[in-house]
Amino acid sequence: AERDLPRYVLVSDFARFRLEDLDSGERHEFSLKDLSKNLRLFGFIAGYEARPVRAQDPINLRAAERMGKLHDRLKASGFEGHDLEVLLVRLLFSLFADDTGIFQPVQSFRDWIENRTSVDGSDLGAKLTQFFQVLNTPTEKRQRNLDEDLAAFPYVNGKLFGERLSIPEFDAGMRTDLLEAAALDWSRISPAIFGALFQSVMDPKARRNLGAHYTSEENILKVIEPLFLDDLRAELTAAKGNASKLFEFQKKLRTLTFLDPACGCGNFLVVAYRELRELELEILRQVEKNRSLDIFHAVQVNVDQFYGIEIEEFPAQIAQVALWLTDHQMNQKVSAEFGLYFARLPLVTSATIAHGNALHIDWEDVVPRWRVTHILGNPPFVGHHLQTAQQKADMRAALGDARAVGVLDYVTAWYAIAARFIQGTEIQVAFVSTNSITQGEQVGILWRALFKAGRPSIRFAHRTFRWRNEAKGEAAVYCVIIGFCNREPKARVIFDYESADAAPHRLPVEFINAYLVDAPWILLENRPSNPFGQPEMSYGSKPTDGGHFFLDAGEFRRMVEAQPRAAKLIRRFMGTQEFLYGEQRWVIWLPGVPPEDIRAVPDVLARVEAVSKFRAKSKAPSTRKYPHGTLFRQVTQPRGDYILI
């Protein structure tokens, strides 16, 4: 089986060595006299190999897919819900621990499954339950006659293995799925994106396009670099060569505290934590040049500086584990750098990830306001016309303004709560948002609501760019990033884009207003009438047809060829996508057409009847009151020339 292939091949003729990594294809050759210079290559033997973790490494998708297979088999057998989610998170940690030296020797968990459980899987569920219990029990409190292979596993703690679960029943196929997952090199996964992929395995719709909707590290860095990382890097550069300044800087790093109030699987927190640890590692490198360090006490930055709020339980669990995984990856880098095995076990400290609705719970119940230095994240994007009744209620709770609830994007509720939360503090905030909140009538309504909590100042902003993640089938979402605080910033920066897919240009500016323009604050009113005597602006025609009126190029051609009379009943359609991107669609257009002309074209008549049935089943009373399938729900088509905006 593939899982039985070795990871490394080492050959030697006692004068030369050749080490090949079969996973990555890397090959290293050196002579015996240079062995001491290449000892770092053999770190995997001791379990503290430091590998670069690449976000786009295919191991992330392969690992998520294999966990998805196991999830499906367990769910199909009737083991589902909360217990299944917790089991998968525990297995995620165990598989990672197995390849990164948390479990010693490396791959001892995989070997234990292979050698100590039945091939038919009949005892695997019970033995995993015992395994989790062992990980949750301090070594000195374990039974003295415990199986020696189990007794070798460390005490993990961290509450990860504390909850009692129903014992899952495995079969041979499930056991094979787990072993196939264990055969992958879990040290190569990126916690920054794996969490989102892992969550996707729980959703059949997301699974079909696995990897399409995670947030890329490139986009996360667009938030955290101007929010705090650029300033910290500059401060580190200024402190180099001065041990006292470096230690003071390290103390500052330890005081920084981050809150993501829509954290999902924790990807923003993970990248922020990793970058803080990278800064601290550079401090320790600088200091080590002049003095020896007690590395076990020298590393200060920890996961307990990170807080999140997440409305769904499973991603909240993933977020907490993802931060532990990142912590261990950084501990491996410390181990490789200083030649000592450094690990934080048992898991004494942890991130705080609250499971709840961030628009209803008090953020101070999660983390005291005085402790927070930065708020960041990517709150959900839902336009006002797509919000559910619950989301409308969330908006009312956050904004307290009925007019705002009817107009604003869902993401603005996080702006409103953050603006109140940071009042009278030095807290810096940055949110990714749909670009619609910087356009049209939303701008004035949003910022007047924010001004009620003080007067937030925009410190930096990314103008419109496309939310990219390098995945196939990704959604075309156009975003902005707005960084703001409750005081006058020392400097302001706009990141401008020549096109939505281009790289940003950094523009130092004097002002940044709500439209993300270098200009003074002016908020335009939404006037009910035109003061200049020009034609009124209106929405375009609304079909509300279930898609039955529309035809693509192939459908149009086939209908006209089969029933030439249809040509008089079809028009070229011009909407946003067609106007901006040259797409082509046609639409059945029947204003003023006699009924007998419609009946004379069976394909058109069938579509008219389909529209009527669609409207009759609508949940909206106004749509059900308009059952006629011959016309758009709202017809505003001009009869003369017009300007399309």
Side-chain angles (χ1 to χ4, degrees), residues 328-344:
H328 189 66
Q329 286 179 336
M330 293 309 302
N331 294 341
Q332 286 183 295
K333 291 194 75 169
V334 171
S335 299
E337 184 76 27
F338 297 101
L340 294 168
Y341 179 68
F342 175 63
R344 283 169 164 159

Side-chain angles (χ1 to χ4, degrees), residues 126-397:
K127 290 202 170 184
L128 281 175
T129 301
Q130 183 187 21
F131 171 71
F132 297 148
Q133 183 178 316
V134 168
L135 296 182
N136 195 54
T137 306
T139 306
E140 66 276 8
K141 293 185 178 180
R142 296 174 181 174
Q143 284 186 237
R144 287 186 291 276
N145 60 343
L146 185 66
D147 175 270
E148 62 180 13
D149 285 351
L150 278 177
F153 287 100
Y155 170 44
V156 174
N157 192 22
K159 300 181 181 178
L160 177 59
F161 298 99
E163 182 184 355
R164 287 187 177 274
L165 304 179
S166 302
I167 298 176
E169 290 294 334
F170 281 74
D171 58 24
M174 296 175 191
R175 180 178 180 272
T176 298
D177 287 340
L178 181 54
L179 284 170
E180 291 293 343
L184 296 173
D185 181 4
W186 287 77
S187 69
R188 285 163 49 191
I189 71 164
S190 167
I193 69 165
F194 182 78
L197 296 178
F198 192 34
Q199 184 187 4
S200 294
V201 309
M202 311 293 284
D203 182 348
K205 291 182 180 177
R207 180 93 58 82
R208 286 197 295 270
N209 201 14
L210 191 62
H213 302 295
Y214 68 82
T215 304
S216 70
E217 291 192 28
E218 176 189 358
N219 284 332
I220 295 171
L221 290 169
K222 287 180 180 179
V223 174
I224 70 173
E225 285 182 334
L227 179 63
F228 67 89
L229 196 53
D230 288 344
D231 289 343
L232 292 179
R233 286 170 175 165
E235 196 169 341
L236 174 60
T237 300
K240 281 185 177 179
N242 187 321
S244 61
K245 284 186 177 181
L246 287 168
F247 280 127
E248 286 301 312
F249 180 56
Q250 186 186 21
K251 288 179 183 177
K252 175 179 177 177
L253 294 183
R254 179 61 180 140
T255 65
L256 299 179
T257 305
F258 299 81
L259 169 65
D260 183 344
C263 71
C265 295
N267 46 7
F268 278 77
L269 298 177
V270 162
V271 177
Y273 178 57
R274 185 193 69 201
E275 295 302 318
L276 279 195
R277 287 291 303 270
E278 290 283 4
L279 289 170
E280 184 181 48
L281 182 56
E282 182 57 30
I283 292 170
L284 300 180
R285 286 192 191 105
Q286 293 288 321
V287 174
E288 176 71 9
K289 292 177 181 178
N290 300 311
R291 67 176 77 177
S292 61
L293 286 174
D294 177 0
I295 201 64
F296 295 95
H297 294 95
V299 178
Q300 296 293 316
V301 177
N302 213 325
V303 292
D304 59 359
Q305 297 170 237
F306 292 80
Y307 295 79
I309 304 172
E310 170 52 37
I311 196 167
E312 295 182 42
E313 182 184 17
F314 186 51
Q317 292 172 348
I318 295 172
Q320 190 163 57
V321 172
L323 280 157
W324 276 325
L325 303 191
T326 305
D327 181 64
H328 189 66
Q329 286 179 336
M330 293 309 302
N331 294 341
Q332 286 183 295
K333 291 194 75 169
V334 171
S335 299
E337 184 76 27
F338 297 101
L340 294 168
Y341 179 68
F342 175 63
R344 283 169 164 159
L345 279 181
L347 300 174
V348 177
T349 58
S350 65
T352 299
I353 309 296
H355 171 215
N357 186 332
L359 302 184
H360 288 279
I361 66 176
D362 186 342
W363 294 4
E364 281 213 87
D365 290 341
V366 179
V367 54
R369 186 191 319 248
W370 60 264
R371 184 177 295 169
V372 179
T373 57
H374 299 86
I375 298 173
L376 73 169
N378 179 16
F381 305 159
V382 187
H384 70 89
H385 57 297
L386 297 175
Q387 292 162 16
T388 65
Q390 178 59 56
Q391 289 167 337
K392 291 291 185 186
D394 295 342
M395 294 283 285
R396 283 191 291 273

Side-chain angles (χ1 to χ4, degrees), residues 12-17 32:
S12 173
D13 61 1
F14 303 103
R16 292 169 298 163
F17 293 86
L32 177 61

Side-chain angles (χ1 to χ4, degrees), residues 442-510:
Q442 287 203 52
V443 181
I445 295 171
L446 169 61
W447 286 91
R448 287 188 182 89
L450 299 186
F451 287 162
K452 293 177 182 177
R455 190 175 177 88
S457 296
I458 299 179
R459 189 167 69 88
F460 71 89
H462 281 261
R463 289 175 176 159
T464 297
F465 65 97
R466 192 160 85 119
W467 198 239
R468 298 187 63 85
N469 63 21
E470 309 298 334
K472 295 178 181 178
E474 60 181 326
V477 180
Y478 295 88
C479 298
V480 295
I481 298 170
I482 300 177
F484 62 96
C485 53
N486 202 47
R487 57 178 173 76
E488 197 65 18
K490 295 178 182 178
R492 294 179 174 88
V493 176
I494 289 175
F495 295 89
D496 193 30
Y497 295 77
E498 291 182 5
S499 69
D501 293 320
H505 295 287
R506 183 186 181 97
L507 305 174
V509 294
E510 188 173 351

